[in-house]
Amino acid sequence: MALTKSTLKLDDLDIRILNALQHNSAVSNLELAQQVHASPPTCLRRVRRLTEAGIIEKQVAILNPEKLGNSLTAICEITLNTQTEQVFAAFEQQMQKETRVLQCYRVSPGPDFILVVQVEDMPAYHALAHRLFTEQGNIRNVRTFFSVHRSKFNTLSLI
């Protein structure tokens, strides 16, 4: 499976390792090696190579937002008044600082950005929206969708 010019060409073992880590990145190298049918040194070398190549960006724990009191997921479409690279970069930099903004995508066509936001409740969303969107002079339109049920949530899958 060739990705791009600047990335590694992945073989079957690489894909098995990545799929196993996508399922549970907390396994030890020994457990991972057993799962993917490779020797522990080979497995460790492959994981290190995949990390150094940037294919594995980071390993994280996926938290349950409801158990942490953050039960409202908002998907926001944001359209800016001015569409220049500098304005886009400034907006993205501001979103990087916002802990409640989980994901920020620059999109085309349609709105300029799609945000995925996780907050406690509607008053918390209202306060965040006022601070992020209403107080900014460059936002032309905000359209927000609220999740009523999440039927699927996965990380990247390799087939």
Side-chain angles (χ1 to χ4, degrees):
M1 165 191 248
L3 296 177
T4 66
K5 287 187 248 180
S6 62
T7 60
L8 296 174
K9 182 172 179 157
L10 303 178
D11 63 16
D12 185 56
L13 178 57
D14 292 325
I15 291 170
R16 289 195 317 268
I17 289 169
L18 292 170
N19 279 327
L21 289 174
Q22 284 285 293
H23 185 70
N24 181 5
S25 69
V27 298
S28 69
N29 183 61
L30 182 59
E31 292 172 284
L32 180 61
Q34 290 170 346
Q35 287 178 21
V36 300
H37 308 291
S39 70
T42 297
C43 194
L44 186 61
R45 221 176 9 259
R46 293 290 187 111
V47 170
R48 188 174 295 133
R49 189 182 102 227
L50 292 165
T51 301
E52 289 170 357
I55 292 170
I56 298 173
E57 288 186 38
K58 59 185 170 179
Q59 294 183 17
V60 299
I62 298 174
L63 308 177
N64 183 327
E66 289 185 11
K67 295 198 184 266
L68 294 169
N70 297 314
S71 60
L72 184 64
T73 302
I75 297 99
C76 308
E77 293 182 349
I78 309 297
T79 304
L80 304 179
N81 282 323
T82 307
Q83 286 87 15
T84 66
E85 184 60 38
Q86 184 178 2
V87 169
F88 286 163
F91 182 84
E92 290 168 337
Q93 185 176 22
Q94 181 185 9
M95 294 307 107
Q96 288 292 326
K97 298 174 189 173
E98 291 296 331
T99 58
R100 297 298 186 187
V101 175
L102 303 181
Q103 299 173 44
C104 177
Y105 299 94
R106 193 184 302 186
V107 297
S108 178
D112 298 314
F113 292 93
I114 301 288
L115 307 178
V116 177
V117 175
Q118 193 78 48
V119 292
E120 296 86 359
D121 52 22
M122 191 57 77
Y125 170 77
H126 184 265
L128 179 83
H130 180 73
R131 185 171 48 80
L132 287 183
F133 311 137
T134 308
E135 292 178 355
Q136 265 204 43
N138 192 38
I139 298 200
R140 179 179 353 146
N141 189 42
V142 176
R143 189 166 109 166
T144 302
F145 304 89
F146 298 98
S147 172
V148 295
H149 175 71
R150 181 174 82 179
S151 59
K152 182 176 181 180
F153 177 84
N154 279 329
T155 55
L156 180 65
S157 175
L158 298 173
I159 296 177

